[in-house]
PDB file of all heavy atoms in Angstrom:
ATOM      1  N   LEU A  91      -9.284  15.575  14.405  1.00 61.00           N
ATOM      2  CA  LEU A  91      -8.077  16.066  15.041  1.00 61.00           C
ATOM      3  C   LEU A  91      -7.488  15.018  15.983  1.00 61.00           C
ATOM      4  O   LEU A  91      -6.275  14.889  16.092  1.00 61.00           O
ATOM      5  CB  LEU A  91      -8.370  17.349  15.812  1.00 61.00           C
ATOM      6  CG  LEU A  91      -7.208  18.028  16.500  1.00 61.00           C
ATOM      7  CD1 LEU A  91      -6.160  18.431  15.493  1.00 61.00           C
ATOM      8  CD2 LEU A  91      -7.682  19.233  17.267  1.00 61.00           C
ATOM      9  N   PHE A  92      -8.326  14.250  16.635  1.00 62.00           N
ATOM     10  CA  PHE A  92      -7.847  13.304  17.613  1.00 62.00           C
ATOM     11  C   PHE A  92      -7.948  11.847  17.121  1.00 62.00           C
ATOM     12  O   PHE A  92      -7.787  10.936  17.892  1.00 62.00           O
ATOM     13  CB  PHE A  92      -8.599  13.466  18.928  1.00 62.00           C
ATOM     14  CG  PHE A  92      -8.380  14.822  19.516  1.00 62.00           C
ATOM     15  CD1 PHE A  92      -9.356  15.801  19.456  1.00 62.00           C
ATOM     16  CD2 PHE A  92      -7.175  15.136  20.128  1.00 62.00           C
ATOM     17  CE1 PHE A  92      -9.139  17.047  20.000  1.00 62.00           C
ATOM     18  CE2 PHE A  92      -6.950  16.392  20.682  1.00 62.00           C
ATOM     19  CZ  PHE A  92      -7.939  17.352  20.598  1.00 62.00           C
ATOM     20  N   LYS A  93      -8.208  11.675  15.836  1.00 71.00           N
ATOM     21  CA  LYS A  93      -8.244  10.313  15.311  1.00 71.00           C
ATOM     22  C   LYS A  93      -6.840   9.753  15.254  1.00 71.00           C
ATOM     23  O   LYS A  93      -5.883  10.426  14.896  1.00 71.00           O
ATOM     24  CB  LYS A  93      -8.824  10.307  13.894  1.00 71.00           C
ATOM     25  CG  LYS A  93     -10.314  10.365  13.838  1.00 71.00           C
ATOM     26  CD  LYS A  93     -10.798  10.118  12.424  1.00 71.00           C
ATOM     27  CE  LYS A  93     -12.285  10.058  12.383  1.00 71.00           C
ATOM     28  NZ  LYS A  93     -12.789   9.834  11.038  1.00 71.00           N
ATOM     29  N   LYS A  94      -6.732   8.491  15.622  1.00 80.00           N
ATOM     30  CA  LYS A  94      -5.443   7.820  15.617  1.00 80.00           C
ATOM     31  C   LYS A  94      -5.071   7.461  14.181  1.00 80.00           C
ATOM     32  O   LYS A  94      -5.887   6.910  13.442  1.00 80.00           O
ATOM     33  CB  LYS A  94      -5.506   6.578  16.481  1.00 80.00           C
ATOM     34  CG  LYS A  94      -4.203   5.868  16.639  1.00 80.00           C
ATOM     35  CD  LYS A  94      -4.334   4.675  17.590  1.00 80.00           C
ATOM     36  CE  LYS A  94      -3.021   3.960  17.659  1.00 80.00           C
ATOM     37  NZ  LYS A  94      -3.108   2.758  18.481  1.00 80.00           N
ATOM     38  N   LYS A  95      -3.856   7.764  13.790  1.00 83.00           N
ATOM     39  CA  LYS A  95      -3.365   7.410  12.468  1.00 83.00           C
ATOM     40  C   LYS A  95      -3.229   5.895  12.393  1.00 83.00           C
ATOM     41  O   LYS A  95      -2.710   5.267  13.314  1.00 83.00           O
ATOM     42  CB  LYS A  95      -2.001   8.080  12.235  1.00 83.00           C
ATOM     43  CG  LYS A  95      -1.431   7.857  10.872  1.00 83.00           C
ATOM     44  CD  LYS A  95      -0.112   8.595  10.725  1.00 83.00           C
ATOM     45  CE  LYS A  95       0.482   8.377   9.361  1.00 83.00           C
ATOM     46  NZ  LYS A  95       1.739   9.093   9.195  1.00 83.00           N
ATOM     47  N   PRO A  96      -3.699   5.284  11.293  1.00 91.00           N
ATOM     48  CA  PRO A  96      -3.552   3.823  11.155  1.00 91.00           C
ATOM     49  C   PRO A  96      -2.081   3.427  11.242  1.00 91.00           C
ATOM     50  O   PRO A  96      -1.199   4.178  10.848  1.00 91.00           O
ATOM     51  CB  PRO A  96      -4.123   3.530   9.777  1.00 91.00           C
ATOM     52  CG  PRO A  96      -4.956   4.703   9.407  1.00 91.00           C
ATOM     53  CD  PRO A  96      -4.359   5.882  10.153  1.00 91.00           C
ATOM     54  N   SER A  97      -1.842   2.244  11.739  1.00 95.00           N
ATOM     55  CA  SER A  97      -0.464   1.755  11.873  1.00 95.00           C
ATOM     56  C   SER A  97       0.171   1.596  10.495  1.00 95.00           C
ATOM     57  O   SER A  97      -0.527   1.520   9.473  1.00 95.00           O
ATOM     58  CB  SER A  97      -0.443   0.426  12.596  1.00 95.00           C
ATOM     59  OG  SER A  97      -0.997  -0.593  11.768  1.00 95.00           O
ATOM     60  N   LEU A  98       1.490   1.538  10.482  1.00 96.00           N
ATOM     61  CA  LEU A  98       2.212   1.330   9.228  1.00 96.00           C
ATOM     62  C   LEU A  98       1.751   0.024   8.572  1.00 96.00           C
ATOM     63  O   LEU A  98       1.497  -0.024   7.373  1.00 96.00           O
ATOM     64  CB  LEU A  98       3.726   1.312   9.487  1.00 96.00           C
ATOM     65  CG  LEU A  98       4.624   0.998   8.290  1.00 96.00           C
ATOM     66  CD1 LEU A  98       4.367   1.978   7.147  1.00 96.00           C
ATOM     67  CD2 LEU A  98       6.075   0.992   8.709  1.00 96.00           C
ATOM     68  N   ALA A  99       1.606  -1.037   9.359  1.00 97.00           N
ATOM     69  CA  ALA A  99       1.163  -2.317   8.807  1.00 97.00           C
ATOM     70  C   ALA A  99      -0.215  -2.187   8.164  1.00 97.00           C
ATOM     71  O   ALA A  99      -0.444  -2.708   7.067  1.00 97.00           O
ATOM     72  CB  ALA A  99       1.153  -3.382   9.899  1.00 97.00           C
ATOM     73  N   ASP A 100      -1.121  -1.491   8.824  1.00 97.00           N
ATOM     74  CA  ASP A 100      -2.477  -1.309   8.271  1.00 97.00           C
ATOM     75  C   ASP A 100      -2.451  -0.490   6.990  1.00 97.00           C
ATOM     76  O   ASP A 100      -3.185  -0.782   6.041  1.00 97.00           O
ATOM     77  CB  ASP A 100      -3.396  -0.656   9.297  1.00 97.00           C
ATOM     78  CG  ASP A 100      -3.764  -1.594  10.433  1.00 97.00           C
ATOM     79  OD1 ASP A 100      -3.608  -2.837  10.275  1.00 97.00           O
ATOM     80  OD2 ASP A 100      -4.201  -1.102  11.497  1.00 97.00           O
ATOM     81  N   ARG A 101      -1.600   0.543   6.962  1.00 97.00           N
ATOM     82  CA  ARG A 101      -1.519   1.363   5.735  1.00 97.00           C
ATOM     83  C   ARG A 101      -0.904   0.560   4.595  1.00 97.00           C
ATOM     84  O   ARG A 101      -1.307   0.700   3.443  1.00 97.00           O
ATOM     85  CB  ARG A 101      -0.740   2.639   6.009  1.00 97.00           C
ATOM     86  CG  ARG A 101      -1.558   3.613   6.863  1.00 97.00           C
ATOM     87  CD  ARG A 101      -0.860   4.927   7.127  1.00 97.00           C
ATOM     88  NE  ARG A 101       0.187   4.734   8.103  1.00 97.00           N
ATOM     89  CZ  ARG A 101       1.464   5.063   7.938  1.00 97.00           C
ATOM     90  NH1 ARG A 101       1.853   5.649   6.827  1.00 97.00           N
ATOM     91  NH2 ARG A 101       2.343   4.845   8.894  1.00 97.00           N
ATOM     92  N   CYS A 102       0.064  -0.295   4.910  1.00 98.00           N
ATOM     93  CA  CYS A 102       0.662  -1.158   3.871  1.00 98.00           C
ATOM     94  C   CYS A 102      -0.375  -2.136   3.339  1.00 98.00           C
ATOM     95  O   CYS A 102      -0.486  -2.342   2.124  1.00 98.00           O
ATOM     96  CB  CYS A 102       1.855  -1.919   4.442  1.00 98.00           C
ATOM     97  SG  CYS A 102       3.302  -0.906   4.756  1.00 98.00           S
ATOM     98  N   LYS A 103      -1.157  -2.747   4.242  1.00 98.00           N
ATOM     99  CA  LYS A 103      -2.209  -3.676   3.818  1.00 98.00           C
ATOM    100  C   LYS A 103      -3.222  -2.981   2.931  1.00 98.00           C
ATOM    101  O   LYS A 103      -3.637  -3.524   1.893  1.00 98.00           O
ATOM    102  CB  LYS A 103      -2.912  -4.265   5.032  1.00 98.00           C
ATOM    103  CG  LYS A 103      -2.062  -5.250   5.809  1.00 98.00           C
ATOM    104  CD  LYS A 103      -2.792  -5.709   7.076  1.00 98.00           C
ATOM    105  CE  LYS A 103      -1.864  -6.525   7.960  1.00 98.00           C
ATOM    106  NZ  LYS A 103      -2.460  -6.860   9.252  1.00 98.00           N
ATOM    107  N   ALA A 104      -3.630  -1.770   3.306  1.00 97.00           N
ATOM    108  CA  ALA A 104      -4.623  -1.046   2.512  1.00 97.00           C
ATOM    109  C   ALA A 104      -4.062  -0.700   1.131  1.00 97.00           C
ATOM    110  O   ALA A 104      -4.781  -0.807   0.133  1.00 97.00           O
ATOM    111  CB  ALA A 104      -5.025   0.241   3.254  1.00 97.00           C
ATOM    112  N   TYR A 105      -2.800  -0.323   1.073  1.00 97.00           N
ATOM    113  CA  TYR A 105      -2.155   0.004  -0.210  1.00 97.00           C
ATOM    114  C   TYR A 105      -2.140  -1.196  -1.126  1.00 97.00           C
ATOM    115  O   TYR A 105      -2.493  -1.108  -2.298  1.00 97.00           O
ATOM    116  CB  TYR A 105      -0.733   0.505   0.062  1.00 97.00           C
ATOM    117  CG  TYR A 105       0.048   0.862  -1.177  1.00 97.00           C
ATOM    118  CD1 TYR A 105      -0.061   2.141  -1.741  1.00 97.00           C
ATOM    119  CD2 TYR A 105       0.918  -0.039  -1.768  1.00 97.00           C
ATOM    120  CE1 TYR A 105       0.681   2.474  -2.873  1.00 97.00           C
ATOM    121  CE2 TYR A 105       1.658   0.286  -2.891  1.00 97.00           C
ATOM    122  CZ  TYR A 105       1.533   1.545  -3.441  1.00 97.00           C
ATOM    123  OH  TYR A 105       2.259   1.896  -4.561  1.00 97.00           O
ATOM    124  N   LEU A 106      -1.764  -2.346  -0.582  1.00 97.00           N
ATOM    125  CA  LEU A 106      -1.705  -3.564  -1.381  1.00 97.00           C
ATOM    126  C   LEU A 106      -3.106  -4.031  -1.795  1.00 97.00           C
ATOM    127  O   LEU A 106      -3.301  -4.507  -2.924  1.00 97.00           O
ATOM    128  CB  LEU A 106      -0.971  -4.674  -0.622  1.00 97.00           C
ATOM    129  CG  LEU A 106       0.504  -4.410  -0.368  1.00 97.00           C
ATOM    130  CD1 LEU A 106       1.066  -5.481   0.554  1.00 97.00           C
ATOM    131  CD2 LEU A 106       1.296  -4.358  -1.677  1.00 97.00           C
ATOM    132  N   LYS A 107      -4.060  -3.899  -0.916  1.00 96.00           N
ATOM    133  CA  LYS A 107      -5.431  -4.322  -1.220  1.00 96.00           C
ATOM    134  C   LYS A 107      -6.043  -3.433  -2.298  1.00 96.00           C
ATOM    135  O   LYS A 107      -6.693  -3.938  -3.210  1.00 96.00           O
ATOM    136  CB  LYS A 107      -6.293  -4.258   0.043  1.00 96.00           C
ATOM    137  CG  LYS A 107      -7.704  -4.749  -0.178  1.00 96.00           C
ATOM    138  CD  LYS A 107      -8.491  -4.743   1.105  1.00 96.00           C
ATOM    139  CE  LYS A 107      -9.914  -5.236   0.827  1.00 96.00           C
ATOM    140  NZ  LYS A 107     -10.734  -5.237   2.034  1.00 96.00           N
ATOM    141  N   LEU A 108      -5.828  -2.147  -2.199  1.00 95.00           N
ATOM    142  CA  LEU A 108      -6.378  -1.213  -3.182  1.00 95.00           C
ATOM    143  C   LEU A 108      -5.751  -1.434  -4.567  1.00 95.00           C
ATOM    144  O   LEU A 108      -6.427  -1.416  -5.578  1.00 95.00           O
ATOM    145  CB  LEU A 108      -6.174   0.226  -2.728  1.00 95.00           C
ATOM    146  CG  LEU A 108      -6.716   1.319  -3.626  1.00 95.00           C
ATOM    147  CD1 LEU A 108      -8.226   1.200  -3.762  1.00 95.00           C
ATOM    148  CD2 LEU A 108      -6.337   2.684  -3.083  1.00 95.00           C
ATOM    149  N   GLY A 109      -4.450  -1.657  -4.568  1.00 94.00           N
ATOM    150  CA  GLY A 109      -3.748  -1.877  -5.833  1.00 94.00           C
ATOM    151  C   GLY A 109      -3.618  -0.600  -6.649  1.00 94.00           C
ATOM    152  O   GLY A 109      -4.043   0.473  -6.234  1.00 94.00           O
ATOM    153  N   PRO A 110      -3.049  -0.733  -7.847  1.00 95.00           N
ATOM    154  CA  PRO A 110      -2.804   0.443  -8.672  1.00 95.00           C
ATOM    155  C   PRO A 110      -4.090   0.957  -9.330  1.00 95.00           C
ATOM    156  O   PRO A 110      -5.057   0.207  -9.475  1.00 95.00           O
ATOM    157  CB  PRO A 110      -1.835  -0.095  -9.731  1.00 95.00           C
ATOM    158  CG  PRO A 110      -2.209  -1.527  -9.872  1.00 95.00           C
ATOM    159  CD  PRO A 110      -2.577  -1.963  -8.482  1.00 95.00           C
ATOM    160  N   PRO A 111      -4.058   2.207  -9.753  1.00 94.00           N
ATOM    161  CA  PRO A 111      -5.203   2.717 -10.496  1.00 94.00           C
ATOM    162  C   PRO A 111      -5.338   1.971 -11.841  1.00 94.00           C
ATOM    163  O   PRO A 111      -4.345   1.505 -12.395  1.00 94.00           O
ATOM    164  CB  PRO A 111      -4.872   4.202 -10.706  1.00 94.00           C
ATOM    165  CG  PRO A 111      -3.413   4.345 -10.446  1.00 94.00           C
ATOM    166  CD  PRO A 111      -2.991   3.196  -9.596  1.00 94.00           C
ATOM    167  N   SER A 112      -6.553   1.857 -12.303  1.00 93.00           N
ATOM    168  CA  SER A 112      -6.785   1.113 -13.541  1.00 93.00           C
ATOM    169  C   SER A 112      -6.084   1.760 -14.738  1.00 93.00           C
ATOM    170  O   SER A 112      -5.826   1.099 -15.730  1.00 93.00           O
ATOM    171  CB  SER A 112      -8.287   1.023 -13.825  1.00 93.00           C
ATOM    172  OG  SER A 112      -8.858   2.309 -13.918  1.00 93.00           O
ATOM    173  N   SER A 113      -5.758   3.021 -14.635  1.00 92.00           N
ATOM    174  CA  SER A 113      -5.101   3.748 -15.730  1.00 92.00           C
ATOM    175  C   SER A 113      -3.607   3.479 -15.803  1.00 92.00           C
ATOM    176  O   SER A 113      -2.937   3.919 -16.739  1.00 92.00           O
ATOM    177  CB  SER A 113      -5.338   5.242 -15.597  1.00 92.00           C
ATOM    178  OG  SER A 113      -4.808   5.717 -14.374  1.00 92.00           O
ATOM    179  N   MET A 114      -3.070   2.724 -14.851  1.00 90.00           N
ATOM    180  CA  MET A 114      -1.615   2.481 -14.835  1.00 90.00           C
ATOM    181  C   MET A 114      -1.280   1.380 -15.827  1.00 90.00           C
ATOM    182  O   MET A 114      -1.612   0.218 -15.633  1.00 90.00           O
ATOM    183  CB  MET A 114      -1.156   2.095 -13.426  1.00 90.00           C
ATOM    184  CG  MET A 114       0.327   2.012 -13.276  1.00 90.00           C
ATOM    185  SD  MET A 114       0.735   1.810 -11.518  1.00 90.00           S
ATOM    186  CE  MET A 114       2.493   1.933 -11.604  1.00 90.00           C
ATOM    187  N   SER A 115      -0.580   1.737 -16.887  1.00 88.00           N
ATOM    188  CA  SER A 115      -0.324   0.794 -17.966  1.00 88.00           C
ATOM    189  C   SER A 115       0.936  -0.049 -17.769  1.00 88.00           C
ATOM    190  O   SER A 115       1.068  -1.088 -18.382  1.00 88.00           O
ATOM    191  CB  SER A 115      -0.238   1.536 -19.293  1.00 88.00           C
ATOM    192  OG  SER A 115       0.845   2.442 -19.285  1.00 88.00           O
ATOM    193  N   ASN A 116       1.844   0.392 -16.903  1.00 86.00           N
ATOM    194  CA  ASN A 116       3.107  -0.343 -16.744  1.00 86.00           C
ATOM    195  C   ASN A 116       3.237  -0.989 -15.371  1.00 86.00           C
ATOM    196  O   ASN A 116       4.332  -1.161 -14.860  1.00 86.00           O
ATOM    197  CB  ASN A 116       4.299   0.568 -17.016  1.00 86.00           C
ATOM    198  CG  ASN A 116       4.357   1.743 -16.076  1.00 86.00           C
ATOM    199  OD1 ASN A 116       3.442   1.989 -15.316  1.00 86.00           O
ATOM    200  ND2 ASN A 116       5.446   2.492 -16.131  1.00 86.00           N
ATOM    201  N   TYR A 117       2.125  -1.400 -14.802  1.00 88.00           N
ATOM    202  CA  TYR A 117       2.103  -2.041 -13.488  1.00 88.00           C
ATOM    203  C   TYR A 117       2.787  -3.410 -13.553  1.00 88.00           C
ATOM    204  O   TYR A 117       2.549  -4.185 -14.460  1.00 88.00           O
ATOM    205  CB  TYR A 117       0.664  -2.181 -12.994  1.00 88.00           C
ATOM    206  CG  TYR A 117       0.518  -3.011 -11.758  1.00 88.00           C
ATOM    207  CD1 TYR A 117       1.032  -2.558 -10.552  1.00 88.00           C
ATOM    208  CD2 TYR A 117      -0.133  -4.226 -11.785  1.00 88.00           C
ATOM    209  CE1 TYR A 117       0.903  -3.321  -9.388  1.00 88.00           C
ATOM    210  CE2 TYR A 117      -0.284  -4.988 -10.627  1.00 88.00           C
ATOM    211  CZ  TYR A 117       0.250  -4.516  -9.445  1.00 88.00           C
ATOM    212  OH  TYR A 117       0.117  -5.284  -8.307  1.00 88.00           O
ATOM    213  N   VAL A 118       3.647  -3.678 -12.566  1.00 86.00           N
ATOM    214  CA  VAL A 118       4.333  -4.958 -12.486  1.00 86.00           C
ATOM    215  C   VAL A 118       3.918  -5.661 -11.184  1.00 86.00           C
ATOM    216  O   VAL A 118       4.368  -5.287 -10.109  1.00 86.00           O
ATOM    217  CB  VAL A 118       5.876  -4.768 -12.487  1.00 86.00           C
ATOM    218  CG1 VAL A 118       6.586  -6.087 -12.389  1.00 86.00           C
ATOM    219  CG2 VAL A 118       6.317  -4.004 -13.720  1.00 86.00           C
ATOM    220  N   PRO A 119       3.031  -6.654 -11.278  1.00 88.00           N
ATOM    221  CA  PRO A 119       2.626  -7.360 -10.065  1.00 88.00           C
ATOM    222  C   PRO A 119       3.820  -8.094  -9.444  1.00 88.00           C
ATOM    223  O   PRO A 119       4.667  -8.629 -10.143  1.00 88.00           O
ATOM    224  CB  PRO A 119       1.583  -8.364 -10.544  1.00 88.00           C
ATOM    225  CG  PRO A 119       1.366  -8.134 -11.988  1.00 88.00           C
ATOM    226  CD  PRO A 119       2.400  -7.171 -12.473  1.00 88.00           C
ATOM    227  N   GLY A 120       3.880  -8.062  -8.125  1.00 91.00           N
ATOM    228  CA  GLY A 120       4.970  -8.747  -7.434  1.00 91.00           C
ATOM    229  C   GLY A 120       6.306  -8.053  -7.539  1.00 91.00           C
ATOM    230  O   GLY A 120       7.355  -8.672  -7.381  1.00 91.00           O
ATOM    231  N   SER A 121       6.275  -6.760  -7.787  1.00 93.00           N
ATOM    232  CA  SER A 121       7.535  -5.988  -7.902  1.00 93.00           C
ATOM    233  C   SER A 121       8.254  -5.982  -6.567  1.00 93.00           C
ATOM    234  O   SER A 121       7.669  -6.301  -5.522  1.00 93.00           O
ATOM    235  CB  SER A 121       7.226  -4.555  -8.335  1.00 93.00           C
ATOM    236  OG  SER A 121       6.567  -3.865  -7.289  1.00 93.00           O
ATOM    237  N   LEU A 122       9.522  -5.629  -6.598  1.00 94.00           N
ATOM    238  CA  LEU A 122      10.282  -5.546  -5.342  1.00 94.00           C
ATOM    239  C   LEU A 122       9.686  -4.532  -4.386  1.00 94.00           C
ATOM    240  O   LEU A 122       9.687  -4.726  -3.174  1.00 94.00           O
ATOM    241  CB  LEU A 122      11.746  -5.244  -5.642  1.00 94.00           C
ATOM    242  CG  LEU A 122      12.499  -6.411  -6.294  1.00 94.00           C
ATOM    243  CD1 LEU A 122      13.868  -5.946  -6.785  1.00 94.00           C
ATOM    244  CD2 LEU A 122      12.649  -7.571  -5.326  1.00 94.00           C
ATOM    245  N   THR A 123       9.140  -3.455  -4.939  1.00 94.00           N
ATOM    246  CA  THR A 123       8.488  -2.452  -4.098  1.00 94.00           C
ATOM    247  C   THR A 123       7.297  -3.078  -3.364  1.00 94.00           C
ATOM    248  O   THR A 123       7.102  -2.872  -2.159  1.00 94.00           O
ATOM    249  CB  THR A 123       8.035  -1.229  -4.931  1.00 94.00           C
ATOM    250  OG1 THR A 123       9.192  -0.657  -5.539  1.00 94.00           O
ATOM    251  CG2 THR A 123       7.330  -0.201  -4.086  1.00 94.00           C
ATOM    252  N   GLU A 124       6.496  -3.860  -4.090  1.00 96.00           N
ATOM    253  CA  GLU A 124       5.345  -4.532  -3.466  1.00 96.00           C
ATOM    254  C   GLU A 124       5.830  -5.547  -2.421  1.00 96.00           C
ATOM    255  O   GLU A 124       5.173  -5.726  -1.387  1.00 96.00           O
ATOM    256  CB  GLU A 124       4.500  -5.240  -4.503  1.00 96.00           C
ATOM    257  CG  GLU A 124       3.529  -4.319  -5.185  1.00 96.00           C
ATOM    258  CD  GLU A 124       2.486  -5.063  -5.989  1.00 96.00           C
ATOM    259  OE1 GLU A 124       2.528  -6.302  -6.098  1.00 96.00           O
ATOM    260  OE2 GLU A 124       1.603  -4.378  -6.536  1.00 96.00           O
ATOM    261  N   ILE A 125       6.921  -6.232  -2.689  1.00 97.00           N
ATOM    262  CA  ILE A 125       7.455  -7.195  -1.709  1.00 97.00           C
ATOM    263  C   ILE A 125       7.862  -6.479  -0.427  1.00 97.00           C
ATOM    264  O   ILE A 125       7.562  -6.959   0.677  1.00 97.00           O
ATOM    265  CB  ILE A 125       8.624  -7.975  -2.335  1.00 97.00           C
ATOM    266  CG1 ILE A 125       8.095  -8.905  -3.450  1.00 97.00           C
ATOM    267  CG2 ILE A 125       9.382  -8.775  -1.269  1.00 97.00           C
ATOM    268  CD1 ILE A 125       9.160  -9.552  -4.290  1.00 97.00           C
ATOM    269  N   ILE A 126       8.503  -5.334  -0.579  1.00 98.00           N
ATOM    270  CA  ILE A 126       8.901  -4.544   0.589  1.00 98.00           C
ATOM    271  C   ILE A 126       7.671  -4.091   1.362  1.00 98.00           C
ATOM    272  O   ILE A 126       7.615  -4.211   2.600  1.00 98.00           O
ATOM    273  CB  ILE A 126       9.779  -3.347   0.170  1.00 98.00           C
ATOM    274  CG1 ILE A 126      11.130  -3.852  -0.378  1.00 98.00           C
ATOM    275  CG2 ILE A 126       9.977  -2.364   1.325  1.00 98.00           C
ATOM    276  CD1 ILE A 126      11.921  -2.811  -1.131  1.00 98.00           C
ATOM    277  N   ILE A 127       6.672  -3.597   0.652  1.00 98.00           N
ATOM    278  CA  ILE A 127       5.437  -3.145   1.316  1.00 98.00           C
ATOM    279  C   ILE A 127       4.714  -4.322   1.956  1.00 98.00           C
ATOM    280  O   ILE A 127       4.131  -4.199   3.032  1.00 98.00           O
ATOM    281  CB  ILE A 127       4.553  -2.353   0.329  1.00 98.00           C
ATOM    282  CG1 ILE A 127       5.277  -1.054  -0.070  1.00 98.00           C
ATOM    283  CG2 ILE A 127       3.196  -2.050   0.944  1.00 98.00           C
ATOM    284  CD1 ILE A 127       4.612  -0.274  -1.178  1.00 98.00           C
ATOM    285  N   GLY A 128       4.800  -5.487   1.332  1.00 98.00           N
ATOM    286  CA  GLY A 128       4.226  -6.709   1.926  1.00 98.00           C
ATOM    287  C   GLY A 128       4.900  -7.053   3.235  1.00 98.00           C
ATOM    288  O   GLY A 128       4.252  -7.491   4.187  1.00 98.00           O
ATOM    289  N   HIS A 129       6.210  -6.865   3.304  1.00 98.00           N
ATOM    290  CA  HIS A 129       6.925  -7.096   4.568  1.00 98.00           C
ATOM    291  C   HIS A 129       6.406  -6.125   5.626  1.00 98.00           C
ATOM    292  O   HIS A 129       6.234  -6.488   6.782  1.00 98.00           O
ATOM    293  CB  HIS A 129       8.431  -6.923   4.376  1.00 98.00           C
ATOM    294  CG  HIS A 129       9.129  -8.153   3.899  1.00 98.00           C
ATOM    295  ND1 HIS A 129       8.882  -8.711   2.673  1.00 98.00           N
ATOM    296  CD2 HIS A 129      10.057  -8.921   4.496  1.00 98.00           C
ATOM    297  CE1 HIS A 129       9.639  -9.788   2.538  1.00 98.00           C
ATOM    298  NE2 HIS A 129      10.372  -9.952   3.626  1.00 98.00           N
TER     299      HIS A 129
END
């Protein structure tokens, strides 16, 4: 209940580090969405 939510930057880093699920067949590395999340 009192845990601090990770910062936006930390959540973006975690998203990029985790990457897409292995079942995703149309993944585009370096997409504009990934570039935005990288920012």
Side-chain angles (χ1 to χ4, degrees):
L91 182 61
F92 298 104
K93 280 190 175 179
K94 185 177 177 183
K95 183 178 180 179
S97 70
L98 176 57
D100 288 342
R101 288 182 285 126
C102 289
K103 288 175 189 174
Y105 179 86
L106 294 172
K107 183 177 179 181
L108 181 61
S112 59
S113 60
M114 188 171 187
S115 62
N116 60 351
Y117 171 67
V118 179
S121 69
L122 289 170
T123 300
E124 278 192 356
I125 291 170
I126 293 166
I127 294 172
H129 275 65

